[in-house]
Amino acid sequence: MNVRWVLLFLLAIAAPALAQGFAGLGTSAEGFAMPQKAHPPVFPGDHGAHPDYRVEWWYLTANLTGEDGRDYGAQWTLFRFALAPGTGESWQTPQLWMGHAAVTTPDQHVSAERLARGGIGQAGVVLTPFSANIDSWRMDSRAGPDSDPMSALDVSAAGAGFAYRLGLTATGPLVLHGDRGYSVKSAQGQASYYYSQPFYAVKGTLTLDGRDIAVTGQAWFDHEWSSQPLGADQSGWDWFSFHFDTGEKLMGFRLRDEGAGFTSGTWIGADGQVEPLPPGALTAEPLEWAEVRGRTVPIRWKLSLPFRGLDITTRALNDAAWMDTQVSYWEGPVRIEGSHPGRGYVEMTGY
Amino acid sequence: MLWQAFTALLSHWRRHRLQLAMLLLGLALATALWSAVQAINAQARLSYARAAAVIGQDRLSALVRVDGAPIAQDTYIRLRQAGWLVSPVIEGELRFGSGRLRLIGIEPLTLPPQAAQVDVSADDIGLAAFITPPGLLVVAPETAARLAGEATPPLRLSEALPPGVALSDIGIAQRLLAQPGRISRLILAPVQLSGLPPLATIAPELVMRAPATESDLSRLTDSFHLNLTAFGFLAFAVGLFIVHAAIGLAFEQRRPVLRTLRALGLPLRALVALSITELLVLSLLAGVLGVALGYGVAAVLLPDVAASLRGLYGAEVDGQLSLQPSVWALGLALAVAGTLASAASRLWRIATLPLLAPAQPRAWSRMSAQALVLQAAAGTGLLAISALAVIIGHGLVAGFVSLGAMLLGAALLLPLVLSLVLALAGRMGRGVVTQWFWADTRQQLPGLSLALMALLLALAANAGVGAMVGSFRLTFVGWLDQRLASELYVTARSDEESDLMRSWLAARSDAVLPIWSAEEKILGEPVQVYGLRDHVTYRENWPLLAAAPDVWDRLEAGTGILVNEQMARRKHLRLGDELTLSGGRSQTIVGIYSDYGNPKAQAMIGIDLLLALHPDVNRQRFAVRIAPDRAAGLAAQLRDAFALPADNVIDQASVKAFSLRIFERTFAVTAALNVLTLGVAALAIFASLLTLADMRLAQLAPVWAMGLTLRRLALLEVLRSMALASFTMLAAVPVGLALAWLLLAVVNVEAFGWQLPMHVFPLDWLRLGSLSLISAALAAALPALQLVRRQPSALVMVFANER
Amino acid sequence: MLLELKDVSKTYPTGEGPLRVLSGVSLSLARGACVALTGESGSGKSTLLHLAGGLDRPDAGQILFEGRDIVQLGESDLAAFRRTRIGMVFQQFNLIPSLDVAANLAFQARLAGRHDPDWCSALAERLGLSGLLGRYPEQLSGGQQQRVAIGRALAARPKLILADEPTGNLDEATGDAVLDLMLALQAETGAALLMVTHSLRLAARLGSRVHLSAGRLA
């Protein structure tokens, strides 16, 4: 394995967008399905995989506090990439799976990666009961038959020097971003299906270098799928998921391009009430940069959402929360200060 | 002063250019043959290493089934889900037309980076094309050339793969090999997570196999390369005879110069240093020439070697020769070391040269009777060592020690034997010229003995290897007749087609005999086990070396097993021994059969038993018995009825011709090296005669003065050389026979695992004899011609003190 | 006349151009004659001897042996002439090293096809070699070797003995003894003798003497 072909995945995601732009309303030239504003996601069916779309991920980030009183972060992600739409028999399935897992402490950031082919049972997502896995990493629903499968999850992963088992229980509803789950990603109209479950209460165990640490905290789950998420000139994104002490949540992202960039997000009330943010309403600016693994990344942000009176800065739990995976990026827990204190996760790609 | 002295030393060569040429040529040739063998061996080893390194087999451990059977894909999933970082590999043999391909299916996503030789994401491959149907086969360029026009998936080239190997996605490979859901082994990533559930609880049928530090191929082919190396050494030794002779002569001729230099005040140490420097310059010059020449020889021989290795061992060797620094270094080192060793005694004499010794030149070539006897005693000692090595020693090394000691011992004995023979001939001669001829021949002996020893070695090697190859061929042909008793050999394209064909053939032929086999692990080694259907074909023809009386009945009953000679020898098996097959079944050995040309262990059981043990055995190949005159017609009908490619139905004659072709190519290299060695020996005689020619004049001039014509003297000179050559040839016969016996009864058994009956080929000896006579005559021709052309004035110089 | 040289010239090619060794030399030798040939170094003595013995051919002139011009003889006839008519004794002895004394003695006679064992053993007796017959040349002293050479030259009963400084490699006493033997045997057999020497003392012991100077007879 090497970096180049994984980059090819991502190029495969971005490249058609270059060529296609917004022209192919229904499907892309390769036959991939495209998100349709008129067809919002339907649950529980859409918790599963969408092999006709080019790319998809199930993404969990958790802000945790240990019995030792320290802050921790944990990440569990399953990516799906399609070389071609649809499924096939056994090895002929054109679906590839990638898992990322990480644990962040104030002085340590450990991560791991798994790759797998679809069609042979090594990795995938099944619906009833909901279960996502790659190798030994699992995300299994333990929700009752009448509740949303995502309302209660067991999540586990292990890598060199770390492991975790987390029990997740949702205290609020699912949250659909954008227009009932249709999330626009650029001024040109690239879009994805995107929903979250930001209301998890977490209880579990981290194992670091053979030492078990009982943890509690909050977690945020994202599920997003698309066939053309990035615009032609977009070089990367900064993504924020915040739990404020008030119980309110904020999802915001900034897609960087040659110009001012494209920001959008969702304000989520403590009761789960959703307020999509119009493009440009949220501003995010780097306050402080640091050199991490040879790249220069922002480690403090200033975000503001004037009409909500939001004016906050973030501080990374560990500046070096670099995902040392084939495609590398920064992903780590932050503390929030300012008008709305709290905790959250920041993801920065393309640096 | 040093430079002056050096040029004085070197000026000798300017005046004796032919001598210089002989010295350089002898050394260059010796180095060339040696380097050629080295280059070939190095190339082969490189190919084996590449083969061994395929998907990291030489570095990474793997999980395999204890019984060698394929692993179910579910087991792979179970291991991954338990956290084991393993990557599946399927490996099998693919047939395309007449060619075979080792197909390796990998899973590029989980393959550890240490095992990834080919970058499947490269622009010309691409992951999507690699893993999705129809997939790609990544092969070496030469493999691609061999596959051109065959119905394979699209080909992509990679220099990283050894020839004969194709890399594809595991899914593609499972389909091509018709083994869906099967995995040959699981490669373990070098770093695994801690606290994994133990293997025994997830997949108890699997065991961990350590990386193969030495590939099977290099082990199997060791003996072949050792053979080549031995030949290379022989050629080098023969070449050194020339070098020794030339250096010795030059020393004697320069003795006065050396003395003068010392008398003029050159310190002894400086003189020795200068002499060594001179030798170094000369040997390096010849060494470079020789290694370059060796690469030429190797390039010519390599295709044959590659074919041999493919035919004998299924080992793929790159046909393209690459320049290896080690070959250069070794070749040059050997040239220098050989020269210094050849010159050691002369250097010693320079060091101990008395300053004021009588100026009278001593006949350089004279050898005292005492020295002759001493040398012969050493030779006898070596022969004793040779005999001891056979009696006491074991293994290939003992075989070669015995062989080397025998050859060298015989060579050392030669001068004494020749001297005695010539004395006898002189006593029996009647005429004065005859008597003088023999007496003078005997007197020439010391000067020529080194060259004659070289000739003896070359002749004996030729005769011995000739007898070995000839015996092998006779046995092999007889064995082929027994073994290939069926009229047609058919390969179906699938098991289903095979079933259809066999029922189609049932009514149209005398018998249809399956050629089905499966791999079993017997005594810890993989063994190809064939299933035999009881038939008169086997009862009458099968080449059994040893058998229980009811061998075929017991085989049919499923209680017996046949093993090939190789396996029996290697594992010390005898009739009546018990072997355990998969599933713990115990079988009694009821027969041992000869299996020439196959280095691997093989066994045979009843077909029913094979099917019981391996229900899904590959059923594509079978043989057909039919009246020989109807075979061609049936073959044509079969091809028509099933639209079979021509290559899938082969008649007996073609199989035999093919087998023989492989056989011939196998020994083509040996034959070529033999001829070259003989050439070097002929050159040694030529060089010796030429350098002796000047000295000879003083001995011939009085005879001429007393009334023999130059023409007659020249003729006698040629006859003399031929007489020596023919006596040497006679001496070479017993040496050659001994060599043949050693090769057949000792070396072959160790190297290949089979013993062959020895045959003698007197016609070959005769041919070899004529060849050596001709070369001796040719070697003497130039000095003789020079003699005839001599002006009387040049001859009378011998007598003249003044004019 | 046994031997007549008429106006014989001989030139050798050398690095510095042709070197004229003999220019128009004429010389006669009667049967049984005993003549010393003297001259300086390089005066052509040896060349003249070689020409007379049929070892070499002159550039010009005739060499008549018993009236027959040997210059006109072909290679094999010339060889036969040397075999049967001439006995040669050289300064370096030039015995055949591979043969023992007996074989050396009889060598030329047997070549000529006129081997007479009695004569040979008589010669050996006369030359004091009877006890040395089984030895090889390298086992003999210089004087012994030269006596073998003289015996060899006489064994075939040649008409003419040609000796080139036969005592040149021997000390004076030995040389004198050898010369005595040779002269005695020559007288007994009636062969003619032409002996090259640079020593006037030795020349004086022969019947007559011719002197060669710069390629001409003085």
Side-chain angles (χ1 to χ4, degrees):
Chain A
M1 282 310 309
N2 65 57
V3 180
R4 284 173 60 194
W5 75 259
V6 184
L7 284 174
L8 276 186
F9 287 175
L10 294 188
L11 275 180
I13 299 159
L18 304 174
Q20 292 289 313
F22 195 56
L25 273 176
T27 59
S28 72
E30 288 85 359
F32 286 108
M34 306 285 281
Q36 305 280 320
K37 199 189 289 193
H39 298 288
V42 178
F43 302 106
D46 277 325
H47 289 316
H50 303 80
D52 289 337
Y53 290 80
R54 197 185 289 271
V55 62
E56 182 166 19
W57 54 69
W58 294 257
Y59 218 119
L60 185 87
T61 51
N63 290 99
L64 304 166
T65 308
E67 55 193 342
D68 53 7
R70 298 213 301 172
D71 273 359
Y72 295 94
Q75 179 202 345
W76 190 105
T77 316
L78 182 63
F79 298 92
R80 180 191 58 79
F81 304 102
L83 298 169
T87 57
E89 193 195 334
S90 185
W91 295 101
Q92 269 77 60
T93 308
Q95 305 286 333
L96 308 178
W97 297 83
M98 177 164 81
H100 285 175
V103 169
T104 313
T105 76
D107 45 20
Q108 203 182 353
H109 177 85
V110 280
S111 63
E113 180 174 48
R114 294 287 184 269
L115 297 160
R117 299 270 285 276
I120 54 164
Q122 187 184 344
V125 176
V126 290
L127 262 181
T128 38
F130 177 86
S131 166
N133 88 296
I134 182 164
D135 294 341
S136 60
W137 301 359
R138 310 200 59 83
M139 174 184 277
D140 298 307
S141 169
R142 51 177 168 75
D146 300 327
S147 28
D148 180 71
M150 306 311 288
S151 62
L153 292 176
D154 284 330
V155 176
S156 64
F162 77 95
Y164 57 76
R165 295 183 163 279
L166 304 175
L168 278 57
T169 309
T171 58
L174 291 175
V175 170
L176 298 172
H177 297 291
D179 185 349
R180 291 174 301 154
Y182 180 84
S183 166
V184 176
K185 288 292 192 284
S186 80
Q188 287 80 41
Q190 271 94 347
S192 66
Y193 283 120
Y194 183 12
Y195 70 88
S196 302
Q197 169 50 274
F199 291 108
Y200 284 121
V202 183
K203 202 173 156 56
T205 312
L206 299 183
T207 309
L208 279 168
D209 298 324
R211 190 171 54 94
D212 285 350
I213 305 157
V215 288
T216 54
Q218 296 158 291
W220 182 304
F221 169 79
D222 279 339
H223 181 195
E224 184 165 15
W225 64 100
S226 173
S227 291
Q228 39 159 223
L230 282 190
D233 60 343
Q234 292 172 335
S235 59
W237 66 78
D238 307 305
W239 174 90
F240 312 92
S241 61
F242 294 151
H243 306 276
F244 299 118
D245 293 346
T246 57
E248 293 162 307
K249 318 275 180 188
L250 172 68
M251 186 284 290
F253 58 85
R254 184 178 80 137
L255 286 158
R256 301 193 302 275
D257 57 27
E258 287 147 10
F262 179 86
T263 62
S264 182
T266 306
W267 181 268
I268 304 160
D271 54 356
Q273 201 66 35
V274 172
E275 186 180 345
L277 304 178
L282 179 75
T283 60
E285 285 169 39
L287 281 183
E288 192 181 331
W289 298 70
E291 178 118 339
V292 179
R293 295 285 180 123
R295 334 236 179 160
T296 311
V297 256
I299 39 123
R300 287 190 66 209
W301 286 89
K302 176 181 169 59
L303 287 95
S304 57
L305 188 60
F307 75 89
R308 280 277 173 196
L310 182 85
D311 186 11
I312 51 173
T313 59
T314 68
R315 179 181 302 279
L317 175 65
N318 184 337
D319 291 352
W322 189 258
M323 291 300 288
D324 202 8
T325 42
Q326 312 275 357
V327 178
S328 55
Y329 52 97
W330 196 100
E331 173 103 38
V334 295
R335 274 278 175 194
I336 301 157
E337 290 149 7
S339 62
H340 291 65
R343 289 196 292 185
Y345 249 80
V346 173
E347 173 179 291
M348 299 179 280
T349 73
Y351 285 97
Chain B
M1 180 182 74
L2 276 181
W3 183 246
Q4 296 289 323
F6 199 47
T7 48
L9 274 181
L10 288 182
S11 67
H12 171 83
W13 300 114
R14 208 169 43 241
R15 291 196 34 230
H16 297 86
R17 290 203 185 120
L18 200 60
Q19 202 180 346
L20 177 67
M22 281 303 143
L23 176 64
L24 291 180
L25 195 61
L27 195 54
L29 274 182
T31 314
L33 288 188
W34 162 259
S35 304
V37 167
Q38 286 311 302
I40 288 172
N41 283 350
Q43 187 65 37
R45 299 230 166 81
L46 197 71
S47 295
Y48 303 153
R50 268 209 296 175
V54 167
I55 55 171
Q57 293 170 95
D58 57 340
R59 275 164 295 165
L60 298 178
S61 296
L63 298 178
V64 292
R65 270 183 70 122
V66 187
D67 56 8
I71 302 168
Q73 201 159 294
D74 294 348
T75 310
Y76 163 64
I77 301 301
R78 236 176 19 247
L79 281 163
R80 288 294 309 197
Q81 293 190 341
W84 283 72
L85 297 178
V86 289
S87 184
V89 171
I90 186 168
E91 193 171 339
E93 195 178 275
L94 261 193
R95 284 163 178 273
F96 284 105
S98 58
R100 294 172 186 196
L101 203 56
R102 187 171 147 228
L103 179 65
I104 300 177
I106 55 159
E107 203 291 281
L109 297 198
T110 48
L111 193 68
Q114 295 89 338
Q117 278 167 309
V118 174
D119 178 9
V120 295
S121 71
D123 293 341
D124 60 334
I125 301 178
L127 184 72
F130 189 74
I131 67 173
T132 51
L136 299 173
L137 291 189
V138 185
V139 294
E142 54 194 286
T143 315
R146 248 171 55 203
L147 289 173
E150 302 286 353
T152 64
L155 300 178
R156 293 293 182 271
L157 305 185
S158 166
E159 298 277 359
L161 289 176
V165 167
L167 196 73
S168 77
D169 180 62
I170 184 165
I172 306 298
Q174 283 181 346
R175 270 191 341 156
L176 287 174
L177 296 169
Q179 300 206 15
R182 299 290 189 81
I183 290 168
S184 302
R185 62 179 179 276
L186 294 165
I187 300 179
L188 277 162
V191 178
Q192 298 282 338
L193 296 183
S194 55
L196 287 179
L199 199 57
T201 63
I202 315 165
E205 74 276 20
L206 298 188
V207 288
M208 200 178 300
R209 196 181 66 188
T213 45
E214 185 189 13
S215 75
D216 286 351
L217 278 183
S218 61
R219 214 171 27 245
L220 267 177
T221 51
D222 245 4
S223 51
F224 183 87
H225 293 295
L226 194 56
N227 256 319
L228 282 187
T229 307
F231 259 104
F233 258 126
L234 183 65
F236 187 74
V238 168
L240 280 192
F241 281 112
I242 307 181
V243 177
H244 186 76
I247 291 177
L249 183 64
F251 169 76
E252 290 302 335
Q253 288 175 342
R254 283 194 293 185
R255 193 188 279 264
V257 179
L258 297 176
R259 214 169 252 130
T260 309
L261 284 173
R262 291 224 27 218
L264 291 176
L266 188 71
L268 179 62
R269 195 180 300 230
L271 187 62
V272 172
L274 282 181
S275 299
I276 291 176
T277 310
E278 178 191 29
L279 289 172
L280 282 179
V281 170
L282 288 174
S283 57
L284 280 176
L285 207 65
V288 170
L289 199 70
V291 177
L293 207 62
Y295 267 104
V297 174
V300 173
L301 292 181
L302 192 62
D304 274 336
V305 175
S308 304
L309 288 166
R310 184 156 49 233
L312 263 183
Y313 305 100
E316 291 288 348
V317 171
D318 208 325
Q320 209 69 40
L321 202 63
S322 53
L323 288 180
Q324 311 241 9
S326 66
V327 172
W328 275 99
L330 211 61
L332 289 182
L334 209 64
V336 171
T339 309
L340 290 181
S342 310
S345 66
R346 310 293 166 185
L347 285 172
W348 176 248
R349 273 202 229 156
I350 291 177
T352 55
L353 191 69
L355 194 53
L356 289 176
Q360 176 195 7
R362 206 178 63 98
W364 149 81
S365 53
R366 186 148 309 160
M367 189 192 265
S368 69
Q370 197 191 358
L372 212 59
V373 169
L374 272 181
Q375 184 181 318
T380 313
L382 280 172
L383 290 186
I385 289 175
S386 164
L388 276 181
V390 171
I391 295 164
I392 303 173
H394 288 290
L396 209 50
V397 174
F400 277 108
V401 164
S402 170
L403 213 143
M406 195 270 291
L407 284 179
L408 194 60
L412 287 177
L413 267 172
L414 182 72
L416 181 67
V417 171
L418 284 182
S419 172
L420 293 176
V421 168
L422 291 174
L424 198 68
R427 209 161 298 156
M428 287 181 6
R430 282 279 146 258
V432 59
V433 177
T434 317
Q435 276 178 5
W436 168 75
F437 176 80
W438 291 122
D440 230 40
T441 307
R442 193 173 167 204
Q443 200 208 12
Q444 289 287 92
L445 202 52
L448 283 173
S449 67
L450 279 172
L452 291 172
M453 283 155 76
L455 181 66
L456 178 83
L457 288 184
L459 285 176
N462 267 273
V465 172
M468 190 262 285
V469 174
S471 299
F472 199 172
R473 186 185 289 112
L474 272 188
T475 313
F476 188 68
V477 170
W479 172 81
L480 273 185
D481 285 342
Q482 291 179 308
R483 184 82 179 249
L484 299 174
S486 296
E487 282 70 25
L488 295 177
Y489 293 84
V490 184
T491 308
R493 282 161 295 193
S494 69
D495 289 351
E496 294 68 34
E497 189 180 53
S498 169
D499 296 344
L500 288 174
M501 278 183 186
R502 281 179 287 123
S503 49
W504 186 88
L505 282 166
R508 294 173 170 86
S509 65
D510 299 342
V512 177
L513 306 170
I515 310 176
W516 302 344
S517 69
E519 193 172 279
E520 284 267 343
K521 203 135 217 172
I522 301 180
L523 298 173
E525 240 187 78
V527 177
Q528 205 64 28
V529 177
Y530 283 79
L532 267 173
R533 167 160 302 151
D534 188 26
H535 190 261
V536 65
T537 306
Y538 300 117
R539 288 180 180 259
E540 287 181 355
N541 291 306
W542 202 248
L544 289 171
L545 296 172
D550 48 356
V551 42
W552 300 110
D553 297 325
R554 286 170 71 181
L555 210 62
E556 173 70 5
T559 57
I561 185 168
L562 300 180
V563 297
N564 65 358
E565 185 187 359
Q566 291 83 307
M567 183 173 171
R569 282 191 189 276
R570 225 172 287 156
K571 299 285 179 192
H572 307 291
L573 298 176
R574 266 185 266 166
L575 288 187
D577 287 355
E578 298 281 324
L579 293 179
T580 309
L581 298 186
S582 55
R585 240 194 112 96
S586 181
Q587 302 287 122
T588 311
I589 297 179
V590 293
I592 296 170
Y593 57 96
S594 55
D595 190 14
Y596 305 121
N598 171 19
K600 296 179 184 170
Q602 195 188 76
M604 305 200 150
I605 54 178
I607 185 78
D608 297 335
L609 179 57
L610 181 79
L611 287 174
L613 293 173
H614 301 273
D616 46 0
V617 69
N618 180 321
R619 303 191 301 275
Q620 289 167 340
R621 297 176 66 208
F622 56 89
V624 182
R625 294 302 316 257
I626 188 167
D629 54 332
R630 289 175 49 215
L634 185 65
Q637 286 175 31
L638 187 67
R639 285 192 195 106
D640 287 347
F642 291 89
L644 265 186
D647 282 346
N648 287 39
V649 185
I650 303 176
D651 60 61
Q652 188 191 69
S654 305
V655 181
K656 278 184 189 166
F658 178 72
S659 305
L660 274 177
R661 208 160 56 236
I662 289 179
F663 178 89
E664 299 296 350
R665 293 199 73 172
T666 299
F667 290 102
V669 182
T670 317
L673 281 176
N674 252 335
V675 169
L676 288 174
T677 310
L678 197 61
V680 172
L683 195 73
I685 297 185
F686 178 63
S688 302
L689 288 177
L690 215 54
T691 47
L692 283 175
D694 280 340
M695 238 175 246
R696 201 63 198 127
L697 205 57
Q699 292 159 0
L700 292 176
V703 185
W704 167 75
M706 279 181 277
L708 278 191
T709 59
L710 282 179
R711 201 178 302 274
R712 183 133 182 237
L713 283 173
L715 183 67
L716 287 173
E717 288 296 285
V718 174
L719 284 177
R720 190 187 322 279
S721 163
M722 290 172 74
L724 286 173
S726 49
F727 287 142
T728 306
M729 177 64 212
L730 286 179
V733 169
V735 181
L737 282 174
L739 178 64
W741 181 83
L742 274 174
L743 286 172
L744 286 171
V746 181
V747 174
N748 261 352
V749 177
E750 294 293 343
F752 303 105
W754 59 65
Q755 186 166 12
L756 296 165
M758 181 160 149
H759 299 271
V760 179
F761 303 88
L763 273 180
D764 278 3
W765 306 97
L766 215 59
R767 191 181 47 81
L768 206 56
S770 331
L771 209 63
S772 66
L773 277 184
I774 291 169
S775 48
L778 284 178
L782 184 63
L785 212 61
Q786 282 180 345
L787 187 64
V788 174
R789 296 238 176 97
R790 289 272 185 197
Q791 290 300 317
S793 53
L795 283 159
V796 298
M797 288 288 284
V798 171
F799 315 118
N801 316 301
E802 57 171 290
R803 276 185 178 141
Chain C
M1 278 293 139
L2 182 68
L3 177 71
E4 282 179 277
L5 276 69
K6 290 187 175 167
D7 212 15
V8 168
S9 298
K10 180 72 183 174
T11 306
Y12 285 111
T14 69
E16 291 118 31
L19 174 70
R20 199 169 181 89
V21 185
L22 296 174
S23 22
V25 172
S26 296
L27 173 75
S28 315
L29 207 66
R31 283 168 205 282
C34 187
V35 176
L37 181 58
T38 57
E40 325 278 305
S41 279
S43 59
K45 308 187 294 283
S46 289
T47 303
L48 194 145
L49 201 73
H50 294 152
L51 291 176
L55 292 179
D56 210 345
R57 294 167 197 272
D59 302 332
Q62 286 183 309
I63 302 174
L64 302 175
F65 193 92
E66 296 180 318
R68 196 161 53 132
D69 188 357
I70 63 169
V71 177
Q72 306 303 324
L73 292 180
E75 176 62 31
S76 53
D77 286 338
L78 200 61
F81 163 75
R82 293 199 299 269
R83 214 154 55 221
T84 55
R85 302 285 194 277
I86 306 292
M88 300 221 197
V89 181
F90 303 107
Q91 180 177 0
Q92 307 281 5
F93 325 133
N94 293 98
L95 297 178
I96 295 169
S98 58
L99 297 177
D100 62 14
V101 169
N104 262 294
L105 271 178
F107 189 78
Q108 191 175 356
R110 293 178 68 188
L111 271 187
R114 44 172 82 156
H115 175 49
D116 177 351
D118 295 339
W119 172 230
C120 255
S121 50
L123 270 177
E125 190 73 27
R126 286 286 279 114
L127 291 163
L129 298 171
S130 301
L132 306 174
L133 289 176
R135 297 220 187 154
Y136 283 86
E138 65 186 37
Q139 299 166 309
L140 302 179
S141 69
Q144 287 168 332
Q145 287 197 48
Q146 196 58 302
R147 280 185 275 151
V148 177
I150 291 165
R152 176 178 69 180
L154 286 165
R157 295 182 184 278
K159 294 276 170 52
L160 173 61
I161 298 168
L162 298 170
D164 190 354
E165 300 276 12
T167 61
N169 262 357
L170 306 174
D171 63 68
E172 197 174 301
T174 312
D176 286 350
V178 166
L179 186 62
D180 288 344
L181 264 176
M182 186 165 76
L183 289 176
L185 281 168
Q186 178 256 333
E188 284 168 33
T189 57
L193 172 67
L194 181 61
M195 184 178 96
V196 165
T197 180
H198 64 275
S199 155
L200 294 177
R201 186 179 70 80
L202 291 180
R205 304 194 46 199
L206 274 66
S208 62
R209 172 166 86 95
V210 288
H211 187 75
L212 207 54
S213 179
R216 293 173 195 279
L217 279 184

